[in-house]
């Protein structure tokens, strides 16, 4: 007797093979039969007309805090994700000395835009060492599986104390050795890897750069050697590269001396729109030299969402807006509808800094419903304002007041230099890339890209009209077998006998995303952007149906994944 039979679906099995019709039999959390299955089952799901895929494996999330208070891990759970990996980009909450949690909160708040008040109130802090953090995560059941990585920022602060928060402070040889030993022991206890950030985009909320920004070769190679002693696990790194000739040599040496593979975040920046090609070439060269490296690439542009409740909008730095900033949205909207205030606001100018991103009206778009993440240049605010014969800031002012102030505008800032996603397509199809960078759980008031897995399949497999698409079997493989393999989880990511029964039943015609929205459901009433999906008929984790029609069934089969997993 099977626990679960999925009957008559179109199986896209994660191997990259073309879809085939068939059934999937599940017992004791594993796939036990694929093809024509006769055996009886306690429960049968009719998959006729549906795609049956492995559950998505999202290797780039920031649920390090949320994992301690949210059993569902929204929004990823709504998007067919059955495994998340957290601790990316060098930020997280372990190891941590009792009494020194505040800095890690400020670091996460600054780097990933997660409200510090929510983290302070929500996190249980019942750990000090990384193995204790793993135990704390393991104690709490979730709707999906969770893997953790050791973040360099927390590690540095733990070993070096307050000095560790200063990226220019140099650790002593003894401190470097201690960092390597802690990573080794954490990985032996079940951490999936070690992560570090070398980008000036990452700052703590106290304004200081992320502590690992300029970590020396001595420090990184010392950690790498300790890490290597564990004999398992992966690196995840992010870097600006610009002006750093030695960066690739350093990354290659980290892989060489540890014997561990690495993934590196790569995107297209408007400053040097072709630089990503050189980065992918460097990754190919490393692989050719026997050094396993992958680029993590995004499924679309990484974009900022602008709105009256979001962290940013074109008037956020205006003196007249700052007077209203603390008001509830409804009151804000009422005041902004006043003609005198509108005139005053439109006469003011934005402060330099982040707000200027919102003033590039040729790169600002209405996201719409359903959201359009690949809008042509003719759809920009600048183009629409020109058609209407009004200044673009006036148009934006009025647009922000739509939907009672809930309207969101979209400002793609990576991967959209040429106003198309052709570069993204090339990146996705490169042999040494995996889909990632969604940052689910992070950027609460700015970015909402936890929906990348849904977008990947819906846009590239079905919707795209402005260029070539990608076969769905290639897309599914990318978000399942490829990402699972990247982090050493060989027990999932494919539909085959013996594999973990993590599955999605998808109504492909209906697969898509609702517009992002701001909700106030974080601890301490904190707000965040979330986005719902459509088309996921059912999601199965470890053989249990966790979501049906987008709603939780209450099942919490998700567990901490301790270390790499062998194929079943
Ligand atoms: Zn990240």
């Amino acid at each position: 007797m099977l626990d679960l039979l999925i009957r008559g679906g179109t199986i896209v099995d994660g191997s990259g093979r073309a879809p085939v019709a068939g059934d999937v039999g599940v017992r004791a959390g594993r796939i036990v039969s694929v093809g024509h299955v006769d055996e009886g089952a306690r429960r049968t799901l009719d998959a006729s007309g549906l795609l049956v895929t492995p559950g998505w494996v999202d290797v780039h999330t920031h649920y390090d805090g949320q994992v301690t208070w949210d059993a569902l891990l929204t929004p990823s759970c709504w998007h067919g994700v059955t495994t998340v990996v957290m601790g990316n980009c060098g930020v997280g909450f372990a190891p941590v000395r009792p009494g020194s949690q505040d800095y890690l909160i400020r670091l996460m708040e600054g780097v990933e835009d997660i409200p510090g008040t929510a983290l302070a109130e929500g996190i249980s802090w019942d750990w000090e060492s990384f193995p204790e953090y793993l135990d704390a995560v393991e104690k709490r059941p979730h709707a999906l599986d969770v893997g953790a990585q050791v973040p360099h920022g927390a590690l540095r602060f733990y070993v070096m104390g307050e000095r560790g928060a200063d990226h220019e402070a140099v650790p002593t040889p003894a401190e470097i050795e201690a960092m390597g030993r802690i990573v080794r022991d954490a990985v032996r206890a079940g951490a999936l890897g070690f992560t570090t950030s070398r980008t000036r985009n990452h700052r703590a909320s106290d304004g200081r750069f992320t502590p690992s920004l300029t970590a020396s070769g001595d420090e990184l190679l010392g950690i790498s050697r300790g890490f290597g002693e564990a004999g398992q696990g992966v690196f995840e790194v992010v870097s600006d590269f610009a002006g750093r000739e030695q960066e690739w040599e350093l990354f290659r040496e980290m892989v060489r001396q540890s014997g561990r593979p690495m993934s590196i975040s790569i995107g297209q920046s408007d400053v040097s729109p072709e630089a990503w090609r050189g980065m992918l070439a460097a990754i190919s060269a490393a692989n050719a030299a026997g050094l396993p490296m992958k680029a993590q690439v995004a499924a679309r542009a990484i974009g900022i969402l602008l709105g009256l409740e979001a962290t940013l909008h074109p008037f956020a730095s205006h003196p007249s807006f700052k007077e209203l900033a603390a008001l509830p949205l409804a009151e804000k909207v009422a005041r902004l509808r006043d003609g005198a205030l509108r005139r005053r606001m439109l006469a003011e100018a934005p402060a330099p800094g982040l707000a200027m991103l919102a003033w590039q009206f040729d790169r600002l778009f209405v996201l719409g419903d359903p959201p359009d993440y690949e809008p042509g240049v003719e759809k920009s605010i600048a183009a629409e304002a020109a058609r209407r014969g009004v200044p673009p800031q006036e148009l934006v002012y009025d647009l922000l007041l739509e939907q009672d102030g809930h309207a969101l505008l979209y400002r793609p800032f990576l991967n959209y230099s040429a106003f198309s996603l052709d570069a993204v397509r090339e990146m996705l199809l490169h042999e040494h890339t995996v889909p990632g960078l969604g940052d689910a759980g992070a950027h609460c008031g700015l970015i909402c890209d936890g929906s990348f897995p849904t977008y990947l399949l819906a846009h590239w497999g079905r919707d795209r009209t402005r260029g070539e698409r990608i076969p769905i079997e290639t897309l599914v493989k990318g978000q399942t077998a490829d990402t699972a393999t990247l982090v050493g989880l060989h027990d999932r990511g494919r539909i085959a006998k013996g594999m973990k029964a993590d599955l999605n039943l998808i109504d492909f015609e209906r697969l898509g995303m609702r517009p992002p929205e701001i909700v106030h459901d974080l601890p301490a009433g904190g707000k965040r952007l979330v986005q719902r999906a459509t088309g996921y008929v059912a999601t199965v984790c470890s053989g249990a149906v966790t979501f049906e029609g987008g709603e939780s069934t209450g099942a919490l089969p998700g567990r901490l994944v301790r270390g790499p997993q062998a194929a079943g």
Side-chain angles (χ1 to χ4, degrees):
M1 176 73 87
L2 296 167
D3 295 330
L4 179 66
L5 174 61
I6 295 165
R7 197 196 295 282
T10 300
I11 299 172
V12 192
D13 70 4
S15 70
R17 276 193 297 270
V20 291
D23 315 320
V24 179
V26 172
R27 187 162 43 235
R30 296 265 160 185
I31 295 168
V32 293
S33 43
V34 183
H36 180 77
V37 179
D38 275 330
E39 201 174 344
R42 276 182 198 89
R43 179 159 188 209
T44 299
L45 293 176
D46 177 10
S48 49
L50 306 179
L51 299 182
V52 181
T53 72
W56 310 142
V57 177
D58 186 344
V59 293
H60 197 123
T61 77
H62 293 281
Y63 286 120
D64 306 73
Q66 191 178 333
V67 74
T68 72
W69 73 72
D70 177 13
L72 298 183
L73 295 177
T74 61
S76 290
C77 62
W78 297 325
H79 289 271
V81 176
T82 51
T83 304
V84 292
V85 180
M86 56 189 191
N88 285 286
C89 301
V91 289
F93 299 113
V96 60
R97 292 199 192 280
S100 67
Q101 291 94 348
D102 274 6
Y103 173 70
L104 297 188
I105 290 176
R106 289 201 303 277
L107 184 59
M108 185 64 88
E109 180 174 44
V111 172
E112 303 293 349
D113 189 31
I114 302 175
T117 47
L119 296 169
E121 176 163 314
I123 299 179
S124 52
W125 298 114
D126 45 345
W127 60 83
E128 174 172 339
S129 70
F130 204 88
E132 286 165 0
Y133 176 66
L134 293 177
D135 292 344
V137 174
E138 190 167 52
K139 271 197 310 221
R140 298 173 174 83
H142 292 95
L144 43 87
D145 281 357
V146 177
Q149 302 171 103
V150 187
H152 194 180
L155 175 68
R156 219 173 185 266
F157 195 68
Y158 185 76
V159 170
M160 297 169 64
E162 190 51 46
R163 274 168 57 239
D166 174 5
H167 70 97
E168 288 178 324
V170 178
T172 65
E175 286 169 335
I176 293 174
E177 208 200 305
M179 285 193 256
R181 201 167 52 237
I182 290 169
V183 172
R184 179 196 67 196
D185 293 346
V187 171
R188 281 181 179 161
L192 294 182
F194 168 76
T195 74
T196 192
S197 163
R198 300 169 69 73
T199 172
R200 301 176 89 79
N201 292 328
H202 287 167
R203 286 176 192 256
S205 56
D206 59 20
R208 289 186 287 180
F209 284 118
T210 202
S212 53
L213 177 71
T214 54
S216 67
D218 284 347
E219 178 176 343
L220 285 166
L221 295 176
I223 293 171
S224 300
R225 286 190 293 273
F227 181 13
E229 286 172 25
Q232 59 189 46
V234 297
F235 286 105
E236 182 265 348
V237 306
V238 51
S239 171
D240 289 334
F241 290 103
R244 287 185 170 170
E245 302 307 318
Q246 315 305 324
E247 201 76 334
W248 283 104
E249 194 42 49
L250 174 59
F251 290 162
R252 287 169 69 123
E253 211 46 45
M254 287 165 72
V255 171
R256 190 178 289 127
Q257 295 197 18
S258 65
R260 306 316 313 153
M262 178 180 281
S263 77
I264 302 165
S265 297
I266 288 193
Q268 178 188 46
S269 91
D270 293 347
V271 182
S272 49
E274 297 297 318
W276 60 274
R277 293 180 191 279
M279 296 177 196
L280 288 183
I283 283 178
S284 293
N287 281 284
L291 300 168
M293 283 190 193
K294 294 274 183 198
Q296 271 193 43
V297 299
R300 62 178 183 238
I302 293 174
I304 292 175
L305 295 167
L306 310 162
L308 293 179
E309 275 196 297
T311 301
L312 192 66
H313 59 77
F315 308 101
S317 67
H318 282 41
S320 295
F321 188 82
K322 287 194 157 168
E323 289 166 20
L324 314 179
L327 296 177
L329 181 65
E331 222 170 302
K332 220 180 266 177
V333 169
R335 300 274 290 274
L336 288 167
R337 285 194 171 130
D338 173 71
L341 179 61
R342 184 177 187 274
R343 276 190 300 280
R344 200 168 77 218
M345 191 87 73
L346 288 168
E348 293 173 10
L354 195 58
M356 293 310 293
L357 267 183
W359 276 77
Q360 288 168 307
F361 298 115
D362 60 329
R363 295 197 166 270
L364 193 58
F365 301 89
V366 173
L367 191 56
D369 181 7
D372 178 4
Y373 288 100
E374 194 178 10
V377 66
E378 76 285 354
K379 292 187 178 164
S380 72
I381 296 293
E384 180 59 24
R387 276 192 293 274
R388 295 190 195 183
V390 296
Q393 55 270 42
E394 278 186 32
L395 176 59
V396 166
Y397 189 100
D398 297 335
L399 287 171
L400 289 172
L401 288 168
E402 288 188 358
Q403 303 165 52
D404 295 322
H406 292 286
L408 290 169
L409 301 174
Y410 180 55
R411 165 62 167 93
F413 83 103
L414 282 178
N415 292 344
Y416 216 62
S417 303
F419 295 95
S420 109
L421 293 177
D422 286 344
V424 169
R425 183 172 182 276
E426 264 190 73
M427 289 185 222
L428 287 169
L429 290 174
H430 188 277
E431 64 170 324
H432 295 300
T433 63
V434 292
L437 302 190
D439 275 343
H443 305 299
C444 298
L446 275 177
I447 297 173
C448 190
D449 286 343
S451 60
F452 273 3
T454 302
Y455 186 80
L456 183 76
L457 190 56
H459 184 72
W460 293 104
R462 184 197 62 204
D463 286 344
R464 191 167 195 240
T465 54
R466 297 189 50 217
E468 284 184 84
R469 293 192 281 266
I470 298 174
I472 60 170
E473 55 269 30
T474 306
L475 298 165
V476 168
K477 175 175 179 281
Q479 195 63 60
T480 59
D482 289 355
T483 42
T485 303
L486 175 77
V487 292
L489 302 181
H490 303 287
D491 62 337
R492 65 198 70 198
R494 277 186 303 117
I495 298 179
K497 232 171 124 168
M499 300 297 278
K500 198 165 172 289
D502 296 348
L503 300 158
N504 280 315
L505 275 65
I506 297 170
D507 180 349
F508 189 48
E509 291 307 307
R510 287 183 51 242
L511 184 69
M513 287 140 294
R514 306 286 305 130
E517 55 185 318
I518 285 180
V519 295
H520 295 76
D521 66 350
L522 289 178
K527 65 188 176 186
R528 61 176 180 144
L529 286 154
V530 295
Q531 185 169 30
R532 289 272 189 165
T534 55
Y536 291 100
V537 175
T539 297
V540 175
C541 180
S542 292
V545 180
T546 49
F547 281 80
E548 277 187 280
E551 296 304 325
S552 164
T553 62
L556 300 175
R559 293 291 177 268
L560 173 80
V561 189
R562 275 196 193 266
Q565 304 289 315

